[in-house]
mmCIF file of all heavy atoms in Angstrom:
data_model
loop_
_atom_site.group_PDB
_atom_site.id
_atom_site.type_symbol
_atom_site.label_atom_id
_atom_site.label_comp_id
_atom_site.label_asym_id
_atom_site.label_seq_id
_atom_site.Cartn_x
_atom_site.Cartn_y
_atom_site.Cartn_z
ATOM 1 N N ASP I 362 2.052 6.642 -17.323
ATOM 2 C CA ASP I 362 0.905 7.413 -16.813
ATOM 3 C C ASP I 362 1.067 7.730 -15.322
ATOM 4 O O ASP I 362 0.222 7.363 -14.502
ATOM 5 C CB ASP I 362 -0.383 6.607 -17.044
ATOM 6 C CG ASP I 362 -0.570 6.275 -18.522
ATOM 7 O OD1 ASP I 362 -0.498 7.207 -19.347
ATOM 8 O OD2 ASP I 362 -0.749 5.083 -18.838
ATOM 9 N N THR I 363 2.161 8.424 -14.989
ATOM 10 C CA THR I 363 2.451 8.652 -13.567
ATOM 11 C C THR I 363 1.621 9.799 -12.982
ATOM 12 O O THR I 363 1.637 10.003 -11.776
ATOM 13 C CB THR I 363 3.947 8.943 -13.334
ATOM 14 O OG1 THR I 363 4.310 10.013 -14.209
ATOM 15 C CG2 THR I 363 4.780 7.719 -13.622
ATOM 16 N N GLY I 364 0.908 10.538 -13.864
ATOM 17 C CA GLY I 364 0.038 11.612 -13.360
ATOM 18 C C GLY I 364 -1.430 11.191 -13.339
ATOM 19 O O GLY I 364 -2.290 11.972 -12.937
ATOM 20 N N ALA I 365 -1.725 9.963 -13.760
ATOM 21 C CA ALA I 365 -3.125 9.486 -13.760
ATOM 22 C C ALA I 365 -3.546 9.216 -12.314
ATOM 23 O O ALA I 365 -2.868 8.487 -11.602
ATOM 24 C CB ALA I 365 -3.226 8.208 -14.589
ATOM 25 N N ARG I 366 -4.654 9.817 -11.925
ATOM 26 C CA ARG I 366 -5.083 9.684 -10.522
ATOM 27 C C ARG I 366 -6.048 8.519 -10.339
ATOM 28 O O ARG I 366 -6.861 8.219 -11.213
ATOM 29 C CB ARG I 366 -5.732 10.982 -10.059
ATOM 30 C CG ARG I 366 -4.698 12.108 -10.059
ATOM 31 C CD ARG I 366 -4.907 13.107 -8.958
ATOM 32 N NE ARG I 366 -3.694 13.919 -8.865
ATOM 33 C CZ ARG I 366 -3.660 15.199 -8.602
ATOM 34 N NH1 ARG I 366 -4.786 15.849 -8.353
ATOM 35 N NH2 ARG I 366 -2.512 15.847 -8.533
ATOM 36 N N PHE I 367 -5.949 7.914 -9.176
ATOM 37 C CA PHE I 367 -6.790 6.752 -8.823
ATOM 38 C C PHE I 367 -6.952 6.764 -7.315
ATOM 39 O O PHE I 367 -6.185 7.444 -6.599
ATOM 40 C CB PHE I 367 -6.121 5.451 -9.293
ATOM 41 C CG PHE I 367 -4.704 5.309 -8.805
ATOM 42 C CD1 PHE I 367 -4.417 4.619 -7.636
ATOM 43 C CD2 PHE I 367 -3.649 5.896 -9.493
ATOM 44 C CE1 PHE I 367 -3.122 4.512 -7.159
ATOM 45 C CE2 PHE I 367 -2.349 5.798 -9.019
ATOM 46 C CZ PHE I 367 -2.079 5.109 -7.857
ATOM 47 N N SER I 368 -7.935 6.014 -6.812
ATOM 48 C CA SER I 368 -8.132 5.986 -5.353
ATOM 49 C C SER I 368 -7.068 5.095 -4.710
ATOM 50 O O SER I 368 -6.766 4.006 -5.206
ATOM 51 C CB SER I 368 -9.539 5.514 -5.008
ATOM 52 O OG SER I 368 -9.871 4.328 -5.687
ATOM 53 N N ILE I 369 -6.560 5.549 -3.606
ATOM 54 C CA ILE I 369 -5.426 4.888 -2.945
ATOM 55 C C ILE I 369 -5.808 3.521 -2.402
ATOM 56 O O ILE I 369 -4.994 2.623 -2.311
ATOM 57 C CB ILE I 369 -4.850 5.805 -1.845
ATOM 58 C CG1 ILE I 369 -3.547 5.252 -1.263
ATOM 59 C CG2 ILE I 369 -5.854 6.045 -0.726
ATOM 60 C CD1 ILE I 369 -2.768 6.250 -0.416
ATOM 61 N N GLN I 370 -7.084 3.356 -2.021
ATOM 62 C CA GLN I 370 -7.622 2.101 -1.483
ATOM 63 C C GLN I 370 -6.733 1.549 -0.360
ATOM 64 O O GLN I 370 -6.339 2.299 0.502
ATOM 65 C CB GLN I 370 -7.827 1.083 -2.615
ATOM 66 C CG GLN I 370 -8.871 1.542 -3.630
ATOM 67 C CD GLN I 370 -10.268 1.682 -3.034
ATOM 68 O OE1 GLN I 370 -10.562 1.169 -1.975
ATOM 69 N NE2 GLN I 370 -11.151 2.402 -3.698
ATOM 70 N N SER I 371 -6.401 0.270 -0.416
ATOM 71 C CA SER I 371 -5.719 -0.370 0.719
ATOM 72 C C SER I 371 -4.328 0.168 1.006
ATOM 73 O O SER I 371 -3.784 -0.092 2.086
ATOM 74 C CB SER I 371 -5.600 -1.870 0.478
ATOM 75 O OG SER I 371 -6.765 -2.508 0.881
ATOM 76 N N ILE I 372 -3.743 0.884 0.046
ATOM 77 C CA ILE I 372 -2.402 1.421 0.311
ATOM 78 C C ILE I 372 -2.460 2.415 1.472
ATOM 79 O O ILE I 372 -1.496 2.592 2.214
ATOM 80 C CB ILE I 372 -1.823 2.063 -0.972
ATOM 81 C CG1 ILE I 372 -1.744 1.004 -2.071
ATOM 82 C CG2 ILE I 372 -0.451 2.679 -0.720
ATOM 83 C CD1 ILE I 372 -1.495 1.558 -3.457
ATOM 84 N N SER I 373 -3.644 3.019 1.663
ATOM 85 C CA SER I 373 -3.809 3.947 2.799
ATOM 86 C C SER I 373 -3.533 3.239 4.129
ATOM 87 O O SER I 373 -3.083 3.861 5.091
ATOM 88 C CB SER I 373 -5.220 4.533 2.796
ATOM 89 O OG SER I 373 -6.195 3.512 3.019
ATOM 90 N N LYS I 374 -3.805 1.928 4.175
ATOM 91 C CA LYS I 374 -3.654 1.184 5.437
ATOM 92 C C LYS I 374 -2.237 1.310 5.983
ATOM 93 O O LYS I 374 -2.033 1.407 7.195
ATOM 94 C CB LYS I 374 -3.978 -0.304 5.217
ATOM 95 C CG LYS I 374 -5.426 -0.584 4.854
ATOM 96 C CD LYS I 374 -5.600 -2.023 4.350
ATOM 97 C CE LYS I 374 -7.054 -2.372 4.088
ATOM 98 N NZ LYS I 374 -7.227 -3.604 3.313
ATOM 99 N N ALA I 375 -1.252 1.255 5.090
ATOM 100 C CA ALA I 375 0.149 1.308 5.524
ATOM 101 C C ALA I 375 0.449 2.633 6.215
ATOM 102 O O ALA I 375 1.122 2.678 7.246
ATOM 103 C CB ALA I 375 1.064 1.123 4.316
ATOM 104 N N PHE I 376 -0.067 3.709 5.634
ATOM 105 C CA PHE I 376 0.306 5.037 6.123
ATOM 106 C C PHE I 376 -0.519 5.438 7.348
ATOM 107 O O PHE I 376 -0.001 6.113 8.240
ATOM 108 C CB PHE I 376 0.216 6.035 4.963
ATOM 109 C CG PHE I 376 1.181 5.677 3.874
ATOM 110 C CD1 PHE I 376 0.788 4.922 2.772
ATOM 111 C CD2 PHE I 376 2.520 6.020 3.992
ATOM 112 C CE1 PHE I 376 1.693 4.540 1.800
ATOM 113 C CE2 PHE I 376 3.443 5.650 3.022
ATOM 114 C CZ PHE I 376 3.026 4.908 1.929
ATOM 115 N N VAL I 377 -1.777 4.992 7.411
ATOM 116 C CA VAL I 377 -2.573 5.258 8.619
ATOM 117 C C VAL I 377 -1.981 4.461 9.788
ATOM 118 O O VAL I 377 -1.890 4.959 10.913
ATOM 119 C CB VAL I 377 -4.058 4.914 8.398
ATOM 120 C CG1 VAL I 377 -4.863 5.121 9.680
ATOM 121 C CG2 VAL I 377 -4.636 5.771 7.279
ATOM 122 N N TYR I 378 -1.537 3.248 9.494
ATOM 123 C CA TYR I 378 -0.891 2.442 10.543
ATOM 124 C C TYR I 378 0.355 3.168 11.074
ATOM 125 O O TYR I 378 0.575 3.245 12.289
ATOM 126 C CB TYR I 378 -0.505 1.074 9.971
ATOM 127 C CG TYR I 378 0.186 0.180 10.968
ATOM 128 C CD1 TYR I 378 -0.495 -0.323 12.066
ATOM 129 C CD2 TYR I 378 1.535 -0.151 10.826
ATOM 130 C CE1 TYR I 378 0.144 -1.146 12.993
ATOM 131 C CE2 TYR I 378 2.170 -0.973 11.743
ATOM 132 C CZ TYR I 378 1.473 -1.465 12.822
ATOM 133 O OH TYR I 378 2.094 -2.265 13.734
ATOM 134 N N ALA I 379 1.161 3.713 10.180
ATOM 135 C CA ALA I 379 2.366 4.445 10.600
ATOM 136 C C ALA I 379 1.976 5.648 11.469
ATOM 137 O O ALA I 379 2.593 5.905 12.507
ATOM 138 C CB ALA I 379 3.164 4.895 9.377
ATOM 139 N N LEU I 380 0.944 6.357 11.063
ATOM 140 C CA LEU I 380 0.501 7.534 11.843
ATOM 141 C C LEU I 380 0.034 7.104 13.233
ATOM 142 O O LEU I 380 0.328 7.765 14.234
ATOM 143 C CB LEU I 380 -0.646 8.261 11.125
ATOM 144 C CG LEU I 380 -0.309 8.922 9.786
ATOM 145 C CD1 LEU I 380 -1.591 9.400 9.109
ATOM 146 C CD2 LEU I 380 0.659 10.093 9.981
ATOM 147 N N LEU I 381 -0.698 5.989 13.288
ATOM 148 C CA LEU I 381 -1.204 5.512 14.582
ATOM 149 C C LEU I 381 -0.049 5.072 15.480
ATOM 150 O O LEU I 381 -0.020 5.410 16.672
ATOM 151 C CB LEU I 381 -2.190 4.355 14.385
ATOM 152 C CG LEU I 381 -2.799 3.842 15.690
ATOM 153 C CD1 LEU I 381 -3.753 4.868 16.285
ATOM 154 C CD2 LEU I 381 -3.518 2.515 15.485
ATOM 155 N N CYS I 382 0.910 4.333 14.930
ATOM 156 C CA CYS I 382 2.069 3.903 15.725
ATOM 157 C C CYS I 382 2.839 5.120 16.228
ATOM 158 O O CYS I 382 3.339 5.124 17.355
ATOM 159 C CB CYS I 382 3.001 3.012 14.910
ATOM 160 S SG CYS I 382 2.318 1.388 14.592
ATOM 161 N N ASP I 383 2.925 6.157 15.393
ATOM 162 C CA ASP I 383 3.629 7.364 15.810
ATOM 163 C C ASP I 383 2.898 8.036 16.972
ATOM 164 O O ASP I 383 3.518 8.571 17.877
ATOM 165 C CB ASP I 383 3.743 8.331 14.619
ATOM 166 C CG ASP I 383 4.973 9.202 14.717
ATOM 167 O OD1 ASP I 383 6.089 8.647 14.809
ATOM 168 O OD2 ASP I 383 4.823 10.440 14.725
ATOM 169 N N ALA I 384 1.559 7.958 16.935
ATOM 170 C CA ALA I 384 0.764 8.618 17.980
ATOM 171 C C ALA I 384 0.685 7.779 19.257
ATOM 172 O O ALA I 384 0.767 8.319 20.360
ATOM 173 C CB ALA I 384 -0.647 8.907 17.453
ATOM 174 N N LEU I 385 0.517 6.472 19.121
ATOM 175 C CA LEU I 385 0.247 5.631 20.303
ATOM 176 C C LEU I 385 1.435 4.800 20.761
ATOM 177 O O LEU I 385 1.462 4.352 21.910
ATOM 178 C CB LEU I 385 -0.901 4.651 20.011
ATOM 179 C CG LEU I 385 -2.311 5.190 19.870
ATOM 180 C CD1 LEU I 385 -3.299 4.034 19.951
ATOM 181 C CD2 LEU I 385 -2.627 6.211 20.937
#
Side-chain angles (χ1 to χ4, degrees):
D362 302 309
T363 53
R366 295 214 166 143
F367 53 94
S368 50
I369 188 167
Q370 296 296 343
S371 275
I372 300 167
S373 65
K374 294 167 175 166
F376 298 96
V377 177
Y378 179 68
L380 294 171
L381 182 70
C382 289
D383 209 57
L385 290 195

